[in-house]
Amino acid sequence: MLKFLFDRIVSFVGLMFLWPVLIVVAVLIRVKMPGGPVIFKQRRVGRNGKLFTMYKFRSMTVSHSGSSVSVAGESRITPLGAKLRKYKLDELPELWNVLIGDMSFVGPRPDVPGYADQLKGDDRRVLQLRPGITGPASMKYRNEEEILASVPDPVKYNDEVIFPDKVRINLYYLDHQSFWIDIKLIICTVLGKQVMYNGELI
């Protein structure tokens, strides 16, 4: 209940406080990236496997045939989009998802249906969690796009290394979550600091 109230109150305050930033980013996207929507909408898998629509600022070209795995330096990511992604400004509209209850501030990043369908056995317990804007797995892989850009086969590396490791971390979070751990993770995310979690520096 404490987490539920925190998510609703802070997301509402955040939207009220950050509305000038939201407007500026929206105008920049309209001017620098014409011919497409300002907001990118995509169906993601939420708590208990329920699909919901996640909102982000658009950071890619409108017409592209890329995969769901993003790699730093891709041509489909616009110059403005790259800056938005670097400073996580593209994720500000997700505050609305938190406000309406689709997401939480802390939890696993919401996957597209194809990846969630790969969860088997005990790993499916991850779906008990409400997806989050940040979380221990997100913090460990805060430079995920740069990591993927450095390997020969980004999709294979994501599927065989990063995705299973995220599931492992998120399962640990599921079994050990607390409101105060959430607050610590949020503070470290905002300040860009690393934190010890499950015996490893993330």
Side-chain angles (χ1 to χ4, degrees):
M1 179 59 70
L2 188 57
K3 180 171 183 172
F4 179 86
L5 292 174
F6 176 85
D7 285 342
R8 298 307 179 280
I9 294 172
V10 176
S11 60
F12 178 78
V13 172
L15 286 168
M16 294 299 99
F17 181 75
L18 293 172
W19 69 264
V21 178
L22 296 169
I23 292 177
V24 169
V25 173
V27 170
L28 286 174
I29 292 173
R30 182 62 69 192
V31 172
K32 297 291 186 178
M33 300 163 57
V38 169
I39 298 294
F40 170 74
K41 297 184 288 185
Q42 188 177 52
R43 298 293 278 174
R44 297 290 181 98
V45 179
R47 189 178 188 185
N48 297 321
K50 180 182 177 181
L51 294 178
F52 72 97
T53 300
M54 188 181 76
Y55 301 95
K56 299 178 71 172
F57 280 125
R58 181 168 65 89
S59 60
M60 296 185 179
T61 56
V62 176
S63 300
H64 66 78
S65 57
S67 71
S68 59
V69 177
S70 299
V71 179
E74 287 184 276
S75 59
R76 61 177 177 160
I77 301 176
T78 69
L80 173 61
K83 290 184 174 62
L84 296 178
R85 294 164 80 99
K86 179 180 179 180
Y87 296 105
K88 307 299 182 183
L89 294 175
D90 62 316
E91 297 182 5
L92 287 179
E94 291 172 35
L95 288 171
W96 174 253
N97 287 117
V98 176
L99 180 64
I100 63 177
D102 290 331
M103 294 178 62
S104 176
F105 277 105
V106 180
R109 289 298 296 168
D111 289 314
V112 295
Y115 274 97
D117 291 341
Q118 296 177 22
L119 296 169
K120 304 296 181 184
D122 190 62
D123 289 350
R124 291 195 63 80
R125 292 196 302 122
V126 169
L127 297 177
Q128 296 175 24
L129 290 165
R130 201 180 304 276
I133 294 178
T134 188
S138 303
M139 294 176 68
K140 180 175 181 178
Y141 291 102
R142 56 171 59 86
N143 62 334
E144 179 178 333
E145 293 185 0
E146 287 74 20
I147 293 174
L148 293 173
S150 68
V151 298
D153 190 335
V155 174
K156 181 179 180 181
Y157 189 84
N158 178 76
D159 293 352
E160 296 181 357
V161 179
I162 294 181
F163 182 71
D165 192 39
K166 284 182 176 180
V167 172
R168 175 187 65 83
I169 295 170
N170 288 325
L171 282 173
Y172 183 88
Y173 172 75
L174 172 64
D175 293 332
H176 299 86
Q177 63 180 313
S178 75
F179 178 72
W180 301 113
I181 288 177
D182 284 0
I183 295 299
K184 183 178 181 180
L185 291 171
I186 291 171
I187 292 174
C188 288
T189 298
V190 172
L191 298 179
K193 292 186 176 182
Q194 291 183 300
V195 61
M196 289 297 297
Y197 190 79
N198 191 21
E200 59 182 313
L201 189 63
I202 61 173

XYZ file of all heavy atoms in Angstrom, residues 153-193:
348
model
N 26.990 -9.700 -32.494
C 25.577 -10.012 -32.725
C 24.762 -9.511 -31.534
O 24.548 -10.235 -30.556
C 25.397 -11.524 -32.886
C 23.999 -11.902 -33.367
O 23.064 -11.119 -33.132
O 23.848 -12.980 -33.976
N 24.284 -8.252 -31.601
C 23.564 -7.659 -30.468
C 22.331 -8.442 -30.041
O 22.075 -8.593 -28.839
C 23.183 -6.270 -30.985
C 24.180 -5.970 -32.047
C 24.459 -7.289 -32.694
N 21.546 -8.920 -30.981
C 20.317 -9.638 -30.630
C 20.651 -10.936 -29.894
O 20.041 -11.265 -28.867
C 19.472 -9.933 -31.886
C 18.270 -10.807 -31.523
C 19.003 -8.640 -32.537
N 21.634 -11.672 -30.404
C 22.031 -12.929 -29.760
C 22.582 -12.670 -28.362
O 22.248 -13.391 -27.413
C 23.074 -13.642 -30.605
C 23.530 -14.979 -30.025
C 24.555 -15.663 -30.930
C 25.001 -16.997 -30.331
N 26.012 -17.673 -31.186
N 23.406 -11.635 -28.216
C 23.988 -11.319 -26.906
C 22.897 -10.912 -25.924
O 22.917 -11.318 -24.754
C 25.013 -10.193 -27.045
C 25.807 -9.952 -25.785
C 26.930 -10.727 -25.501
C 25.434 -8.962 -24.878
C 27.670 -10.515 -24.338
C 26.166 -8.747 -23.711
C 27.278 -9.525 -23.451
O 27.994 -9.324 -22.294
N 21.932 -10.136 -26.409
C 20.824 -9.740 -25.534
C 20.025 -10.963 -25.094
O 19.692 -11.102 -23.918
C 19.909 -8.761 -26.262
C 18.714 -8.343 -25.420
O 18.816 -7.551 -24.505
N 17.548 -8.903 -25.733
N 19.724 -11.846 -26.048
C 18.885 -13.010 -25.741
C 19.579 -14.021 -24.837
O 18.929 -14.650 -23.984
C 18.464 -13.707 -27.041
C 17.527 -12.850 -27.882
O 17.083 -11.792 -27.391
O 17.234 -13.246 -29.025
N 20.896 -14.180 -25.002
C 21.610 -15.237 -24.283
C 22.316 -14.756 -23.021
O 22.612 -15.573 -22.139
C 22.631 -15.893 -25.213
C 21.997 -16.607 -26.411
C 23.035 -17.271 -27.312
O 24.261 -17.121 -27.016
O 22.630 -17.926 -28.293
N 22.582 -13.456 -22.921
C 23.338 -12.944 -21.777
C 22.530 -11.926 -20.966
O 22.255 -12.123 -19.772
C 24.683 -12.317 -22.224
C 25.433 -11.765 -21.008
C 25.532 -13.342 -22.963
N 22.148 -10.836 -21.597
C 21.528 -9.738 -20.858
C 20.132 -10.100 -20.359
O 19.816 -9.906 -19.170
C 21.479 -8.462 -21.721
C 22.903 -7.958 -21.992
C 20.658 -7.375 -21.020
C 22.958 -6.688 -22.817
N 19.282 -10.610 -21.222
C 17.907 -10.922 -20.813
C 17.852 -11.934 -19.662
O 17.162 -11.698 -18.669
C 17.098 -11.424 -22.014
C 15.665 -11.730 -21.685
C 14.755 -10.705 -21.420
C 15.206 -13.037 -21.638
C 13.435 -10.987 -21.109
C 13.890 -13.331 -21.333
C 12.999 -12.295 -21.066
N 18.599 -13.072 -19.737
C 18.582 -14.006 -18.598
C 19.114 -13.384 -17.305
O 18.622 -13.698 -16.215
C 19.481 -15.153 -19.073
C 19.447 -15.079 -20.558
C 19.370 -13.612 -20.868
N 20.131 -12.514 -17.426
C 20.683 -11.885 -16.227
C 19.670 -10.912 -15.621
O 19.540 -10.818 -14.390
C 21.981 -11.156 -16.572
C 22.760 -10.738 -15.325
O 22.783 -11.532 -14.350
O 23.342 -9.644 -15.312
N 18.937 -10.207 -16.460
C 17.890 -9.306 -15.954
C 16.820 -10.097 -15.212
O 16.340 -9.671 -14.156
C 17.259 -8.526 -17.107
C 18.103 -7.392 -17.655
C 17.337 -6.675 -18.749
C 18.097 -5.465 -19.263
N 17.350 -4.762 -20.331
N 16.453 -11.249 -15.759
C 15.449 -12.092 -15.104
C 15.947 -12.526 -13.728
O 15.216 -12.484 -12.739
C 15.107 -13.319 -15.968
C 14.212 -14.296 -15.191
C 14.423 -12.889 -17.263
N 17.230 -12.918 -13.652
C 17.826 -13.330 -12.378
C 17.761 -12.202 -11.358
O 17.351 -12.401 -10.202
C 19.289 -13.745 -12.606
C 20.049 -14.080 -11.318
C 21.529 -14.312 -11.607
N 22.197 -13.112 -12.089
C 22.672 -12.148 -11.299
N 22.527 -12.248 -9.973
N 23.297 -11.102 -11.810
N 18.149 -11.011 -11.768
C 18.156 -9.861 -10.866
C 16.734 -9.505 -10.431
O 16.476 -9.212 -9.260
C 18.832 -8.658 -11.543
C 20.309 -8.950 -11.804
C 18.695 -7.395 -10.680
C 20.995 -7.915 -12.680
N 15.800 -9.541 -11.365
C 14.423 -9.180 -11.045
C 13.752 -10.204 -10.134
O 12.906 -9.847 -9.311
C 13.615 -9.000 -12.333
C 13.995 -7.724 -13.072
O 14.310 -6.709 -12.455
N 13.984 -7.773 -14.393
N 14.126 -11.465 -10.262
C 13.602 -12.478 -9.343
C 14.101 -12.225 -7.925
O 13.355 -12.380 -6.955
C 14.012 -13.885 -9.806
C 13.217 -14.474 -10.962
C 13.839 -15.793 -11.418
C 11.758 -14.687 -10.580
N 15.374 -11.830 -7.814
C 15.913 -11.495 -6.493
C 15.166 -10.293 -5.918
O 14.822 -10.264 -4.733
C 17.415 -11.201 -6.588
C 18.049 -10.922 -5.247
C 18.555 -11.953 -4.466
C 18.143 -9.623 -4.751
C 19.120 -11.708 -3.222
C 18.706 -9.356 -3.513
C 19.205 -10.405 -2.755
O 19.758 -10.154 -1.519
N 14.895 -9.308 -6.766
C 14.146 -8.133 -6.303
C 12.748 -8.539 -5.836
O 12.257 -8.056 -4.810
C 14.049 -7.095 -7.431
C 13.131 -5.947 -7.100
C 13.525 -4.945 -6.215
C 11.853 -5.881 -7.650
C 12.673 -3.902 -5.892
C 10.998 -4.839 -7.329
C 11.409 -3.853 -6.453
O 10.563 -2.825 -6.125
N 12.103 -9.426 -6.580
C 10.771 -9.902 -6.210
C 10.769 -10.504 -4.803
O 9.858 -10.251 -4.007
C 10.286 -10.932 -7.227
C 8.990 -11.682 -6.891
C 7.808 -10.716 -6.828
C 8.735 -12.779 -7.919
N 11.790 -11.272 -4.493
C 11.853 -11.981 -3.212
C 12.366 -11.114 -2.065
O 12.249 -11.507 -0.901
C 12.742 -13.223 -3.350
C 12.135 -14.268 -4.280
O 10.898 -14.317 -4.380
O 12.902 -15.012 -4.914
N 12.968 -9.956 -2.371
C 13.568 -9.139 -1.316
C 13.123 -7.674 -1.356
O 13.710 -6.835 -0.674
C 15.103 -9.187 -1.415
C 15.672 -10.563 -1.248
N 15.796 -11.443 -2.296
C 16.141 -11.204 -0.151
C 16.324 -12.583 -1.860
N 16.525 -12.469 -0.567
N 12.109 -7.364 -2.121
C 11.703 -5.966 -2.279
C 11.179 -5.374 -0.976
O 10.603 -6.063 -0.138
C 10.632 -5.855 -3.365
C 9.344 -6.594 -3.061
C 8.326 -6.439 -4.161
O 8.089 -5.347 -4.645
N 7.709 -7.538 -4.572
N 11.420 -4.095 -0.835
C 10.863 -3.320 0.274
C 10.778 -1.869 -0.171
O 11.449 -1.448 -1.115
C 11.746 -3.426 1.523
O 12.926 -2.645 1.384
N 9.956 -1.103 0.508
C 9.778 0.297 0.143
C 11.095 1.061 0.270
O 11.411 1.909 -0.570
C 8.714 0.929 1.039
C 8.490 2.397 0.769
C 7.856 2.818 -0.383
C 8.936 3.360 1.673
C 7.663 4.177 -0.635
C 8.737 4.712 1.435
C 8.101 5.119 0.275
N 11.872 0.754 1.293
C 13.114 1.499 1.522
C 14.188 1.127 0.508
O 15.003 1.974 0.135
C 13.593 1.266 2.959
C 12.562 1.705 3.945
C 11.844 0.934 4.801
C 12.067 3.043 4.113
N 10.943 1.684 5.510
C 11.052 2.991 5.107
C 12.375 4.274 3.533
C 10.360 4.122 5.514
C 11.679 5.403 3.946
C 10.701 5.321 4.928
N 14.178 -0.106 0.029
C 15.080 -0.473 -1.069
C 14.691 0.305 -2.325
O 15.548 0.800 -3.063
C 15.036 -1.995 -1.327
C 15.744 -2.741 -0.198
C 15.678 -2.335 -2.673
C 15.676 -4.256 -0.331
N 13.380 0.433 -2.554
C 12.910 1.207 -3.703
C 13.404 2.652 -3.638
O 13.875 3.210 -4.633
C 11.379 1.199 -3.757
C 10.820 -0.113 -4.273
O 11.616 -1.011 -4.597
O 9.583 -0.239 -4.354
N 13.280 3.257 -2.459
C 13.724 4.651 -2.304
C 15.217 4.769 -2.592
O 15.663 5.705 -3.277
C 13.420 5.160 -0.879
C 11.908 5.201 -0.640
C 14.036 6.541 -0.661
C 11.154 6.126 -1.570
N 16.002 3.819 -2.092
C 17.450 3.837 -2.336
C 17.751 3.719 -3.816
O 18.607 4.444 -4.350
C 18.110 2.693 -1.567
C 19.624 2.645 -1.691
C 20.193 1.509 -0.847
C 21.721 1.473 -0.941
N 22.291 0.375 -0.121
N 17.039 2.832 -4.509
C 17.255 2.646 -5.943
C 16.852 3.890 -6.727
O 17.537 4.274 -7.688
C 16.473 1.423 -6.441
C 16.968 0.060 -5.948
C 15.982 -1.035 -6.330
C 18.349 -0.261 -6.504
N 15.766 4.536 -6.326
C 15.332 5.760 -7.009
C 16.357 6.868 -6.830
O 16.731 7.556 -7.790
C 13.955 6.216 -6.477
C 12.867 5.225 -6.909
C 13.627 7.617 -6.983
C 11.527 5.472 -6.248
N 16.845 7.044 -5.610
C 17.836 8.095 -5.336
C 19.114 7.854 -6.138
O 19.663 8.777 -6.757
C 18.157 8.162 -3.830
C 16.934 8.669 -3.056
C 19.351 9.073 -3.570
C 17.092 8.630 -1.549
N 19.576 6.614 -6.156
C 20.803 6.293 -6.896
C 20.603 6.472 -8.399
O 21.527 6.884 -9.108
C 21.243 4.859 -6.586
S 21.906 4.643 -4.924
N 19.400 6.188 -8.885
C 19.108 6.393 -10.304
C 19.150 7.872 -10.649
O 19.774 8.278 -11.641
C 17.718 5.818 -10.656
O 17.712 4.408 -10.428
C 17.389 6.083 -12.117
N 18.493 8.695 -9.838
C 18.448 10.140 -10.092
C 19.837 10.756 -10.029
O 20.206 11.603 -10.859
C 17.514 10.833 -9.078
C 17.609 12.353 -9.208
C 16.077 10.371 -9.287
N 20.643 10.315 -9.059
C 21.989 10.874 -8.887
C 23.018 10.224 -9.803
O 24.158 10.683 -9.871
C 22.437 10.716 -7.427
C 21.589 11.448 -6.375
C 22.136 11.190 -4.977
C 21.535 12.948 -6.671
N 22.625 9.172 -10.496
C 23.549 8.475 -11.392
C 24.633 7.728 -10.650
O 25.734 7.540 -11.175
N 24.326 7.289 -9.429
C 25.319 6.596 -8.614
C 25.097 5.086 -8.644
O 23.985 4.607 -8.865
C 25.259 7.086 -7.166
C 25.700 8.526 -6.979
C 25.744 8.883 -5.500
C 26.282 10.293 -5.287
N 26.365 10.641 -3.842
